[in-house]
């Protein structure tokens, strides 16, 4: 077949001119569409915001009003706030009772092991938001079950003399304790490991990272014994005795991984006795530290996590979080760029999108290897001023050039929203070589923006995030708030995985997330989105 371009008889100049006019019309139509989409999204956000206020008003009225219909007690889940409507009630009474049922506050969800039998009919997608707090609690006066007389206990050497004194105290209680190095070989029979490496103050960040690696290697070597009855693992760290909920030395931020390590071990070895203790050792001598730890081991039971200082014993509890806030002033600054580093699940994508559209923020997406570019295309189609680039730890210079170009066009970077990768395999949650890259990636991003006056640093910890990564990143984010200026707002978001991300559709969780990211106060907020209704039944 001959090439039609070789036909000199065709009117090529006219065809090219028509093609250029058609392309110009297409570009103009696309620009009009994008502008209309952005306006529609803003209008929809305002409508839904008004709807949320209306729901809040109905909730307040429902709480103040006593239901007129009698409340049935049969077939009602224990602790539920629902009410059965009498068949003889009037239409108005039925409506009031339903409003009271739908909008009354829900009780905190119990762990799966404490849930009563499910007798309610349909699950509800309602959620509630909680935040961690330290509560002073008396010790239960029971010993850690693994510390029975005659049990063989191994203490790792902390390097400052606490381990030998603690071994002496444990031996006096009838436990056979011994001290070994930072990474014990565990060649001799051992029933309990007490890791004390994270009790000492690290010299620098890499030193703290090496201590975390010691803990993971020790836990891996001890994993076979943890599968057997009577085994125990205790991790002790010193981050000011508050698990990051109070100011601490930023250099110990990697020690936050110890909390995640214990959580992962408790999930994997449910028959073992596993615990984490944060001890504020400042100003205490070695014998006082050893005695304080021994008292907790023999009187604190299995309660975890436990925060200790010289005068009190505290535990971490999740309490209701008040999310009614005022938007921060930096959102109104012109062209303040936001960096978004999504995970494959993109749990904060809709909140970032709504924030960008409502306040006309330019967004820069950093795509890591394995993340689809469809998210960037979708956000651009919905009216977000967006650009994207690859983000690879092995090739940081192109990322730095990309950020420089972003600053040249829009000014200093104002916000970072990051999501760590989920574990690729179940065994990766306890492997240091699979955990360290996520922490290095987050720290590299903070280092590349060290001179930017950040206003927002948000971390989305979605379903599948390794517990070690999640715990360490929350410490890193809190440490960054101690280093930066006072205007930085830190937001740590835990999502329990009950329900998939909305991926662009606006839902109650997205409203709460957007409100949280845009809030002016508090300076640091850590929240967890939980299901306040029973989980759907699992199909066999």
């Amino acid at each position: 077949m001959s090439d039609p371009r070789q036909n000199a008889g065709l009117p090529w100049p006219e065809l090219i001119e028509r093609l250029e006019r058609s392309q110009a019309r297409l570009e103009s139509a696309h620009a009009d569409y994008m502008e209309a989409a952005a306006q529609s999204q803003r209008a929809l956000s305002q409508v839904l915001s008004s709807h949320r206020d209306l729901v809040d008003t109905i909730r307040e009225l429902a709480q103040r009003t006593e239901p007129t219909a009698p409340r049935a007690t049969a077939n009602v889940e224990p602790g539920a706030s629902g009410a059965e409507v009498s068949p003889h009630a009037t239409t108005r009474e039925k409506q009031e009772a339903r409003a009271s049922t739908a909008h009354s506050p829900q009780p905190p969800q119990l762990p799966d092991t404490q849930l009563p039998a499910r007798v309610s009919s349909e699950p509800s997608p309602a959620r509630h938001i909680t935040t961690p707090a330290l509560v002073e609690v008396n010790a239960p006066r029971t010993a850690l079950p693994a510390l029975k007389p005659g049990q063989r206990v191994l203490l790792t050497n902390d390097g400052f003399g606490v381990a030998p004194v603690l071994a002496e105290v444990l031996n006096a209680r009838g436990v056979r304790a011994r001290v070994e190095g930072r990474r014990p070989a565990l060649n001799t029979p051992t029933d309990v490991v007490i890791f004390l490496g994270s009790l000492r103050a690290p010299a620098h960040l890499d030193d703290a990272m090496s201590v975390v690696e010691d803990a993971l290697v020790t836990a891996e070597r001890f994993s076979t014994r943890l599968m057997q009855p009577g085994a125990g693992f205790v991790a002790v760290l010193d981050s000011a005795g508050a698990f990051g909920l109070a100011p601490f030395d930023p250099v110990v931020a990697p020690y936050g991984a110890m909390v995640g390590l214990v959580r992962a071990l408790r999930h994997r070895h449910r028959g073992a006795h596993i615990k984490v203790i944060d001890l504020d050792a400042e100003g205490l001598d070695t014998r006082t530290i050893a005695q304080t730890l021994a008292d907790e081991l023999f009187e604190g039971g299995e309660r975890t996590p436990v925060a200790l200082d010289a005068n009190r014993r505290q535990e971490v509890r999740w309490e209701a979080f008040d999310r009614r806030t005022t938007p921060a002033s930096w959102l109104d600054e012109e062209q303040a760029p936001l960096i978004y580093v999504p995970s494959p699940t993109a749990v904060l994508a809709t909140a970032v999108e709504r924030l960008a559209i409502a306040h006309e923020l330019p967004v820069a997406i950093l795509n890591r290897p394995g993340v689809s570019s469809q998210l960037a295309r979708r956000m651009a189609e919905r009216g977000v001023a967006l650009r994207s680039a690859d983000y690879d730890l092995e090739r940081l210079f192109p990322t730095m050039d990309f950020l420089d170009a972003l600053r040249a066009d829009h000014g200093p970077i104002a916000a970072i929203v990051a999501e760590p990768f989920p574990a690729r395999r179940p065994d990766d949650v306890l492997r240091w070589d699979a955990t360290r890259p996520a922490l290095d990636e987050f720290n590299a991003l903070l280092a590349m923006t060290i001179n930017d006056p950040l206003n927002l640093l948000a971390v989305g910890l979605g379903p599948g995030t390794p517990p070690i990564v999640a715990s360490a990143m929350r410490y890193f984010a809190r440490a960054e708030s101690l280093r930066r200026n006072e205007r930085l707002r830190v937001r740590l978001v835990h999502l329990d995985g009950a329900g998939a991300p909305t991926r662009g559709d606006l839902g109650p969780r997205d409203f709460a997330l957007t409100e949280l990211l845009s809030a002016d106060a508090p300076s640091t907020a850590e929240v967890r989105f939980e299901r306040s209704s029973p989980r759907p039944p699992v199909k066999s």
Side-chain angles (χ1 to χ4, degrees):
M1 183 180 292
S2 61
D3 188 349
R5 291 174 295 182
Q6 303 297 328
N7 190 345
L10 292 176
W12 290 110
E14 182 180 353
L15 291 175
I16 293 174
E17 181 181 357
R18 289 184 178 182
L19 182 61
E20 291 177 346
R21 289 201 302 268
S22 177
Q23 182 178 357
R25 287 196 296 270
L26 285 174
E27 292 177 351
S28 177
H30 182 263
D32 294 341
Y33 166 77
M34 297 297 290
E35 177 63 24
Q39 293 177 357
S40 176
Q41 183 71 14
R42 297 190 191 100
L44 181 60
S45 299
Q46 294 175 358
V47 171
L48 293 175
S49 178
S50 300
H51 179 267
R52 181 201 61 200
D53 294 338
L54 177 60
V55 171
D56 290 342
T57 302
I58 295 175
R59 180 185 294 112
E60 293 176 359
L61 291 175
Q63 292 174 350
R64 297 174 184 174
T65 304
E66 291 293 334
T68 57
R71 177 171 306 211
T73 58
N75 297 329
V76 178
E77 181 180 354
S81 58
E84 296 291 338
V85 182
S86 171
H88 303 290
T90 64
T91 302
R92 180 177 181 84
E93 290 172 340
K94 293 179 181 179
Q95 292 175 347
E96 292 178 350
R98 288 168 185 162
S100 176
T101 300
H103 301 295
S104 58
Q106 301 291 332
Q109 180 190 2
L110 295 172
D112 291 342
T113 56
Q114 301 178 19
L115 285 174
R118 302 299 188 190
V119 293
S120 58
S121 57
E122 296 183 358
S124 169
R127 293 172 177 271
H128 66 276
I129 309 174
T130 56
T131 186
L134 289 174
V135 179
E136 190 167 351
V137 179
N138 294 327
R141 301 293 181 180
T142 59
L144 186 70
L147 292 178
K148 298 178 181 178
Q151 288 283 77
R152 296 156 297 189
V153 178
L154 184 149
L155 295 87
T156 63
N157 197 347
D158 62 295
F160 286 90
V162 174
V165 179
L166 180 57
E168 176 185 338
V169 176
L170 294 180
N171 285 324
R173 298 279 191 112
V175 176
R176 294 184 291 171
R178 69 183 189 276
V179 179
E180 293 191 12
R182 293 178 53 174
R183 297 186 186 182
L186 293 171
N187 293 326
T188 57
T190 303
D191 301 309
V192 181
V193 168
I194 300 178
F195 186 85
L196 299 177
S198 46
L199 188 58
R200 68 176 179 86
H204 44 73
L205 190 66
D206 287 337
D207 186 20
M209 287 284 202
S210 68
V211 172
V212 176
E213 184 177 6
D214 294 340
L216 266 66
V217 171
T218 302
E220 183 180 8
R221 292 174 179 175
F222 194 55
S223 60
T224 302
R225 178 64 182 90
L226 286 175
M227 299 178 185
Q228 303 171 14
F233 185 93
V234 180
V236 183
L237 68 149
D238 180 5
S239 62
F243 291 107
L245 299 179
F248 59 92
D249 186 356
V251 77
V252 306
Y255 287 177
M258 308 302 295
V259 183
L261 171 61
V262 166
R263 186 179 300 121
L265 290 176
R266 287 173 64 90
H267 179 75
R268 176 169 295 190
H269 305 288
R270 298 186 181 273
H273 310 288
I274 302 171
K275 182 168 185 162
V276 61
I277 301 171
D278 187 2
L279 171 64
D280 184 4
E282 184 177 2
L284 303 180
D285 56 53
T286 56
R287 181 158 294 277
T288 302
I289 295 174
Q291 188 61 54
T292 302
L293 292 176
D295 291 343
E296 176 60 31
L297 293 174
F298 285 99
E299 297 181 4
E302 280 191 283
R303 305 288 287 272
T304 187
V306 175
L308 301 175
D309 59 23
N311 301 315
R312 57 185 175 176
R313 178 185 184 275
Q314 300 180 100
E315 296 179 4
V316 178
R317 303 286 176 84
W318 289 82
E319 302 176 345
F321 178 75
D322 183 9
R323 77 186 202 206
R324 300 191 67 86
T325 52
T326 304
S329 59
W330 70 271
L331 293 168
D332 297 328
E333 298 177 3
E334 186 177 0
Q335 294 184 337
L338 181 151
I339 296 177
Y340 180 35
V341 188
S343 67
T345 55
V347 293
L348 298 181
T350 304
V352 170
E353 179 182 295
R354 293 187 65 227
L355 197 68
I357 292 175
H359 300 278
E360 300 182 353
L361 303 179
V363 176
I365 292 184
L366 297 181
N367 289 315
R368 292 168 293 191
V371 176
S372 173
S373 60
Q374 293 182 358
L375 174 64
R377 290 197 297 268
R378 180 181 66 80
M379 294 179 71
E381 290 174 355
R382 295 172 71 94
V384 177
L386 183 140
R387 64 178 72 183
S388 63
D390 294 334
Y391 183 35
D392 191 342
L393 275 177
E394 304 297 329
R395 301 175 62 252
L396 286 180
F397 285 110
T399 305
M400 296 172 67
D401 293 338
F402 172 78
L403 296 181
D404 287 340
L406 179 67
R407 296 184 185 97
D409 294 340
H410 299 288
I413 295 169
I416 294 177
V417 180
E419 301 169 5
F421 254 73
R424 301 184 185 277
R425 298 185 301 271
D427 292 341
D428 288 350
V429 297
L430 293 177
R431 289 177 45 208
W432 180 243
D433 59 341
T435 300
R436 175 80 188 250
L439 305 182
D440 289 341
E441 183 183 76
F442 185 62
N443 284 326
L445 184 61
L446 296 177
M448 288 187 291
T449 57
I450 191 63
N451 294 321
D452 291 288
L454 287 183
N455 296 277
L456 172 66
L457 174 59
V459 180
L461 304 172
T465 303
I468 296 174
V469 174
S471 297
M473 287 187 68
R474 64 176 292 273
Y475 263 74
F476 279 125
R478 289 180 176 275
E480 199 66 17
S481 67
L482 300 174
R483 295 192 188 98
R484 300 268 184 165
N485 52 52
E486 295 180 355
R487 65 190 293 177
L488 177 64
R489 297 294 179 261
V490 173
R491 301 291 179 258
L492 303 168
V493 181
H494 302 263
L495 297 164
D496 67 350
T502 55
R503 296 186 179 279
D505 300 325
L506 301 178
R509 187 177 76 178
D510 300 306
F511 277 116
L513 286 173
T514 307
E515 194 173 54
L516 180 67
L517 296 185
S518 62
D520 183 55
S523 59
T524 299
E526 181 174 3
V527 301
R528 183 170 68 187
F529 285 73
E530 299 177 281
R531 183 192 297 272
S532 58
S533 61
R535 286 184 170 88
V538 179
K539 297 182 180 179
S540 57

